[in-house]
Amino acid sequence: MIYILTGDIRTGKTTALLDWCKNRNDVDGVLCPDDENRLRYFLNIKSKGVYPLVAHTDTEENNTISIGSFQFMKSSFQNANDYLLHSNDQRDYSYLIIDELGKLELKNIGLHDSAKSIIIQYENSKSHHLILVIRESLLNDIIEHYNISEYSVLKKEDLQLLL
């Protein structure tokens, strides 16, 4: 089953997921919270691995991905994609989280490689579930881009309903 957690930008979707999976051992995947300086980073849920997402100003241009005024490190996306694909192969969880699919993925970059591979495996799964985080304004575009036909939309308040 695919669940899509959606809401407006900066409304606490990732924070709600952090709280939801805090005391669970059946969740894996990648979250993208902010650090104490409000800079985004990737967090591997089970391994607790952390790697910064926002590029420093002295980072070489060919090692970054630009979206709007943001500069993200390509290596961080590669690490996140690798972790998601490895976790998907292991399947030692009930829920796999991909946070988040957005403008980069619509351009076939960012977390696109892992999302493209993983999404098709979950549409009819009964024992493993995929949670995709998608901002509300991009929901229909992402659903169409990945040809997702079987899914359930959640708001952050609905997370407690997932067993």
Side-chain angles (χ1 to χ4, degrees):
M1 176 70 177
I2 296 176
Y3 295 99
I4 298 176
L5 178 62
T6 191
D8 289 331
I9 299 170
R10 298 242 175 243
T11 56
K13 297 179 297 294
T14 299
T15 302
L17 280 168
L18 277 167
D19 290 341
W20 178 75
C21 65
K22 181 174 25 182
N23 297 317
R24 300 180 69 116
N25 61 4
D26 64 341
V27 180
D28 203 357
V30 175
L31 291 173
C32 193
D34 293 340
D35 67 13
E36 62 278 352
N37 297 316
R38 295 186 54 95
L39 296 176
R40 294 236 153 165
Y41 66 94
F42 279 122
L43 169 66
N44 299 340
I45 295 170
K46 271 203 173 182
S47 75
K48 306 294 186 215
V50 171
Y51 29 97
L53 182 56
V54 178
H56 300 290
T57 54
D58 59 347
T59 305
E60 291 183 34
E61 187 175 313
N62 62 348
N63 294 324
T64 62
I65 299 170
S66 298
I67 189 83
S69 62
F70 297 101
Q71 297 287 320
F72 298 117
M73 293 190 294
K74 287 182 182 179
S75 61
S76 293
F77 281 106
Q78 186 60 54
N79 288 337
N81 277 302
D82 291 347
Y83 184 82
L84 287 164
L85 291 169
H86 176 74
S87 295
N88 185 57
D89 288 344
Q90 299 300 308
R91 295 272 177 122
D92 60 347
Y93 54 82
S94 296
Y95 295 92
L96 182 69
I97 299 173
I98 301 177
D99 181 15
E100 89 180 69
L101 300 181
K103 292 179 180 181
L104 291 175
E105 290 71 25
L106 289 172
K107 295 179 178 184
N108 298 332
I109 52 179
L111 298 176
H112 172 73
D113 290 343
S114 57
K116 178 180 68 171
S117 173
I118 291 170
I119 287 171
I120 59 172
Q121 299 175 42
Y122 284 83
E123 283 193 303
N124 298 308
S125 178
K126 304 263 188 271
S127 59
H128 291 89
H129 309 286
L130 180 62
I131 300 175
L132 303 173
V133 179
I134 303 170
R135 67 179 68 165
E136 198 144 10
S137 63
L138 298 176
L139 181 62
N140 292 330
D141 293 336
I142 294 287
I143 289 169
E144 182 179 323
H145 185 76
Y146 290 102
N147 197 28
I148 304 170
S149 59
E150 298 291 326
Y151 61 92
S152 181
V153 175
L154 303 172
K155 299 293 185 183
K156 63 184 181 180
E157 300 80 22
D158 300 325
L159 284 172
Q160 294 82 359
L161 302 175
L162 298 180
L163 300 175

